[in-house]
């Protein structure tokens, strides 16, 4: 979470509290939708249409593509990115995966969802996105990752991605983070994989995930460093 604070130019936040910070994002907490609406509405700088906290698709494709290769029982493989924001994870999988994927990005910020749908269709001064495999598809939906009932039935996704969403939701209290985890595991196929990407130390994150993921195997892989910061991929998988 330290990396996310640095990128937002936030002061330290005590767990369970949200102190104001002195810029255009002031007065909100990382679990507050209004903060993200304002953030995603800000003009993009340069020519890159997406914006990534931590890192983008390119940095983790070496982890994701082997998982897609292994989990080809479903064609195309269904992938859900919770709290997708305007990240390149969804668009990268859609345009660069050689394996057929049906990717859905959900976010509780309607501003982020509208932006990504526009980008998908060739808005924002970009050409329309083309799939890396002819059977691949990409969709974005406005939804709260803590309540995915309107998004999917139980066990319907083979791969779930959470890049910093647990970190942000936990700022509103750990019960909310556990609700997020519970919903992710509900819609995850029993043979599937949930990946949480974070800079939070395993000594802190692993006990939380193990407590909230009974019956699932929890492992961690170190990533990076990217721009001087070490990250972690927390993998939660069905026990075969």
């Amino acid at each position: 979470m330290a990396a996310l604070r640095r990128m937002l130019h936030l002061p330290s936040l005590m767990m369970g509290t949200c102190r104001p910070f002195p810029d255009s994002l002031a007065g909100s907490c990382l679990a507050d939708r209004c903060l993200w609406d304002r953030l995603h509405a800000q003009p993009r700088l340069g020519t890159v249409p997406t914006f990534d906290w931590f890192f983008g698709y390119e940095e983790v494709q070496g982890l994701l593509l082997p998982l897609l290769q292994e989990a080809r029982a479903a064609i195309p493989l269904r992938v859900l990115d919770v709290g997708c924001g305007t990240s390149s994870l969804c668009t990268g999988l859609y345009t660069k995966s050689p394996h057929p994927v049906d990717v859905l990005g959900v976010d509780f910020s309607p501003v982020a969802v509208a932006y990504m749908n526009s980008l998908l269709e060739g808005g924002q001064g970009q050409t329309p996105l083309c799939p890396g495999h002819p059977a691949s598809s990409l969709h974005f939906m406005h939804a709260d990752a803590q309540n995915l009932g309107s998004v999917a039935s139980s066990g319907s996704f083979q791969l779930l991605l959470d890049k910093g969403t647990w970190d942000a939701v936990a700022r509103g209290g750990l019960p909310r983070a556990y609700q997020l985890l519970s919903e992710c595991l509900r819609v995850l196929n029993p043979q599937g994989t949930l990946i949480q990407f974070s800079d939070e130390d395993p000594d802190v994150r692993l006990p939380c995930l193990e407590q909230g993921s009974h019956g699932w195997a929890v492992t961690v892989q170190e990533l990076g460093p990217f721009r001087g910061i070490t990250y972690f991929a927390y993998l939660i998988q069905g026990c075969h």
Side-chain angles (χ1 to χ4, degrees):
M1 200 57 187
L4 183 54
R5 287 201 304 268
R6 285 194 288 273
M7 284 182 281
L8 282 172
H9 305 292
L10 302 179
S12 295
L13 296 175
M14 300 301 292
M15 285 299 295
T17 65
C18 297
R19 300 188 307 191
F21 40 95
D23 56 18
S24 62
L25 301 176
S28 292
C29 146
L30 295 181
D32 181 6
R33 191 196 74 194
C34 294
L35 179 150
W36 299 104
D37 284 345
R38 294 197 300 272
L39 181 67
H40 293 309
Q42 293 181 357
R44 298 297 189 280
L45 300 177
T47 59
V48 179
T50 54
F51 186 84
D52 284 289
W53 309 114
F54 301 164
F55 46 78
Y57 170 77
E58 298 290 342
E59 286 80 5
V60 293
Q61 62 179 336
L63 172 64
L64 298 180
L65 292 182
L67 287 173
L68 297 178
Q69 174 67 32
E70 294 169 6
R72 296 186 63 185
I75 301 294
L77 189 85
R78 297 199 70 197
V79 181
L80 176 63
D81 183 1
V82 293
C84 63
T86 58
S87 163
S88 65
L89 274 188
C90 288
T91 57
L93 276 171
Y94 173 63
T95 60
K96 297 179 180 179
S97 170
H99 313 297
V101 288
D102 177 9
V103 183
L104 174 62
V106 300
D107 202 280
F108 73 166
S109 167
V111 178
V113 172
Y115 178 89
M116 295 306 288
N117 276 322
S118 174
L119 182 65
L120 175 61
E121 296 166 3
Q124 314 302 327
Q126 305 291 317
T127 57
L129 300 180
C130 296
H133 188 284
S136 291
S137 60
L138 174 60
H139 308 278
F140 294 96
M141 181 182 296
H142 178 218
D144 187 341
Q146 298 176 66
N147 183 6
L148 295 169
S150 64
V151 173
S153 57
S154 298
S156 54
F157 289 93
Q158 284 75 42
L159 178 61
L160 261 76
L161 305 175
D162 170 343
K163 182 157 69 77
T165 302
W166 165 289
D167 303 75
V169 170
R171 291 299 171 182
L174 275 178
R176 294 186 180 183
Y178 281 120
Q179 175 61 26
L180 166 68
L181 177 60
S182 176
E183 272 295 89
C184 287
L185 294 179
R186 181 184 67 79
V187 301
L188 182 64
N189 185 281
Q191 307 303 316
T193 300
L194 163 63
I195 308 177
Q196 289 188 354
F197 296 107
S198 178
D199 68 338
E200 186 168 59
D201 191 275
D203 288 345
V204 178
R205 180 64 60 90
L206 281 176
C208 293
L209 296 181
E210 289 167 350
Q211 178 178 334
S213 306
H214 295 298
W216 299 79
V218 183
T219 58
V220 60
Q221 295 185 28
E222 187 172 306
L223 303 174
F226 305 130
R227 294 182 293 275
I229 300 174
T230 297
Y231 297 93
F232 302 95
Y234 296 95
L235 285 75
I236 304 174
Q237 299 173 297
C239 298
H240 306 307

